């Protein structure tokens, strides 16, 4: 467990920062544990002990970068809120950077924990939208239906069939899940 402000948190922050900076400067393919360790001001053994290998480190950084920064916007209706969120999700995840983070998150994830964490991020955002709509008196689908009918098809397409992904695609998926309520 990482204590807020503790040494472990400082090491994680410095190593994550080093990965992001170096990936930007020299490219992801040129990253090595010794290079990251030198930039972060830690020993390579610190990285190996905590993350195991470079792929697991990249996976950890990716999961952190995939965490949403803000609460979904309130646009006044379930349809508007969910559509706006889905469009933004698709835009961010389908970008070259987003796809790279998704791949990194999954490649360094032997036990599936990172995939679960990324799924939880989306579920939390969807729960906020659905709870807000319920408070307004709107009928809502359940969160799993939104995951199955909006998020899952987008993720499949992002990873395996990225052509033709645009806001209209996100809107069609949202319209489909809302027709079922």
């Amino acid at each position: 467990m990482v204590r807020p402000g503790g040494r472990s948190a400082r090491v994680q922050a410095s190593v994550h920062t080093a990965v992001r900076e170096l990936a930007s400067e020299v490219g992801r393919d040129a990253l090595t544990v010794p290079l990251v360790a030198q930039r972060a001001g830690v020993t390579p053994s610190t990285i190996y002990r905590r993350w195991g290998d470079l792929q697991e480190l990249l996976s950890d950084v990716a999961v952190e970068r995939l965490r949403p920064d803000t609460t979904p916007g309130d646009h006044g209706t379930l349809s508007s809120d969910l559509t706006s969120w889905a469009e933004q999700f698709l835009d961010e995840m389908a970008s070259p950077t987003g796809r790279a983070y998704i791949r990194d998150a999954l490649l360094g994830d032997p036990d599936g924990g990172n995939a679960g964490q990324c799924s939880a991020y989306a579920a939390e955002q969807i729960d906020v939208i659905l709870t807000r709509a319920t408070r307004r008196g709107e009928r809502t689908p359940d969160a799993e239906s939104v995951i199955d009918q909006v998020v899952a098809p987008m993720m499949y397409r992002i990873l395996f069939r990225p052509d033709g992904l645009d806001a209209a695609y996100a809107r069609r998926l949202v319209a489909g899940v809302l027709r079922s309520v």
Side-chain angles (χ1 to χ4, degrees):
M1 179 166 147
V2 176
R3 291 177 300 151
R7 182 183 185 284
S8 185
R10 287 191 302 275
V11 167
Q12 179 175 334
S14 67
V15 170
H16 278 214
T17 298
V19 168
R20 289 190 307 273
E21 289 173 353
L22 287 166
S24 199
E25 293 168 18
V26 301
R28 185 191 170 288
D29 292 339
L31 291 179
T32 64
V33 169
L35 186 63
V36 171
Q38 181 181 12
R39 173 66 64 96
V42 300
T43 64
S45 63
T46 298
I47 292 175
Y48 289 121
R49 192 171 40 255
R50 180 164 182 158
W51 286 280
D53 62 22
L54 181 62
Q55 188 57 58
E56 287 188 43
L57 171 59
L58 293 174
S59 184
D60 190 48
V61 170
V63 170
E64 183 66 28
R65 299 303 294 168
L66 290 169
R67 179 187 321 213
D69 294 342
T70 60
T71 301
D74 186 346
H75 303 281
T77 66
L78 173 59
S79 177
S80 297
D81 289 355
L82 195 54
T83 298
S84 176
W85 178 84
E87 288 174 353
Q88 181 179 354
F89 181 87
L90 181 61
D91 185 54
E92 290 173 4
M93 296 299 130
S95 72
T97 301
R99 284 196 317 268
Y101 282 141
I102 292 167
R103 286 189 183 106
D104 280 343
L106 298 177
L107 285 173
D109 187 25
D111 65 359
N114 289 345
Q117 185 59 55
C118 291
S119 177
Y121 293 155
E124 289 166 9
Q125 295 269 296
I126 291 164
D127 282 339
V128 167
I129 292 167
L130 298 179
T131 299
R132 189 184 303 145
T134 299
R135 287 187 187 134
R136 289 191 295 251
E138 295 179 82
R139 291 183 46 164
T140 65
D142 60 90
E144 288 302 311
S145 293
V146 177
I147 299 262
D148 290 345
Q149 296 176 44
V150 178
V151 178
M154 285 195 292
M155 290 303 293
Y156 179 85
R157 292 286 305 272
I158 288 166
L159 290 172
F160 301 112
R161 298 188 62 181
D163 293 337
L165 289 178
D166 57 16
Y169 177 69
R171 287 191 296 272
R172 284 192 307 273
L173 293 174
V174 170
V177 76
L178 293 181
R179 275 193 300 272
S180 69
V181 292

